Amino acid sequence: MSKKIIKNELPENYEELKKAANRTSSWRARFNAIEELGNYNTSQVIDILNTRLVNDPVYKIQELAYRILLEFGEDVQLPAPKKFEVIKGANKVFLRVKKSLPADHTVEEFAAKLKRMRIDVYDAYEGEKGNDFNTWLENEWKNLKK
């Protein structure tokens, strides 16, 4: 396995990567942008990585930013994973979506409306829960019905 070459300059597409790294509607775009920015050890990139490390709702993005910052020689601590709400106030969002739907709505209708109304919440939980997302969302939805 060859060692990754890290450049001490900004990438040509820096502005695009910066936007993608902060895109709340897509954890995948943030992850990919952080991964690419990890090839460029500059103060601007370090600022973006520190922001994602401290503030990203998706833990795998925090972990990626942490690993890259360590590679860059930065003195950083990995935050503990959030135990409950990935996004503060998400339960209120779920309840608002549920109340906006007919009483006999399905979990699929709930998921589609959540995605339309609050893609940031939907996306953060999808990124955080991974393959368990649909099961998790269905359980959240069932608990709202009680």
Side-chain angles (χ1 to χ4, degrees):
M1 185 158 90
S2 65
K3 186 164 171 34
K4 179 165 94 169
I5 297 172
I6 297 176
K7 299 175 181 141
N8 295 320
E9 61 192 37
L10 286 175
E12 286 182 26
N13 60 342
Y14 171 73
E15 288 301 323
E16 181 185 315
L17 289 171
K18 180 179 172 183
K19 282 181 190 166
N22 293 306
R23 188 164 291 131
T24 58
S25 64
S26 176
W27 72 268
R28 287 175 185 87
R30 289 194 312 277
F31 189 91
N32 292 336
I34 295 303
E35 209 168 40
E36 190 170 336
L37 286 168
N39 295 313
Y40 301 90
N41 186 351
T42 68
S43 60
Q44 296 98 317
V45 168
I46 289 170
D47 287 346
I48 292 170
L49 295 174
N50 275 312
T51 300
R52 289 298 99 212
L53 172 65
V54 174
N55 297 321
D56 206 282
V58 178
Y59 196 66
K60 63 183 89 176
I61 293 173
Q62 289 181 310
E63 289 176 313
L64 177 61
Y66 171 75
R67 286 194 309 272
I68 293 168
L69 286 165
L70 283 181
E71 280 179 25
F72 287 178
E74 296 294 307
D75 183 19
V76 289
Q77 298 295 314
L78 182 62
K82 292 180 180 89
K83 288 191 165 90
F84 301 107
E85 286 186 317
V86 169
I87 302 270
K88 190 169 173 56
N91 288 334
K92 290 178 184 172
V93 171
F94 298 151
L95 198 54
R96 200 171 327 128
V97 171
K98 178 193 176 291
K99 287 180 176 180
S100 74
L101 291 163
D104 62 346
H105 70 274
T106 65
V107 68
E108 291 81 10
E109 291 167 323
F110 174 79
K113 182 103 185 225
L114 173 62
K115 195 172 186 178
R116 277 195 318 276
M117 284 177 69
R118 289 294 302 271
I119 185 67
D120 59 325
V121 173
Y122 182 95
D123 187 76
Y125 278 97
E126 182 189 43
E128 189 61 27
K129 301 298 178 183
N131 292 334
D132 299 328
F133 174 69
N134 289 329
T135 303
W136 172 85
L137 189 62
E138 185 168 359
N139 287 332
E140 290 295 307
W141 173 73
K142 284 178 184 172
N143 290 333
L144 288 172
K145 295 185 102 172
K146 293 178 182 170

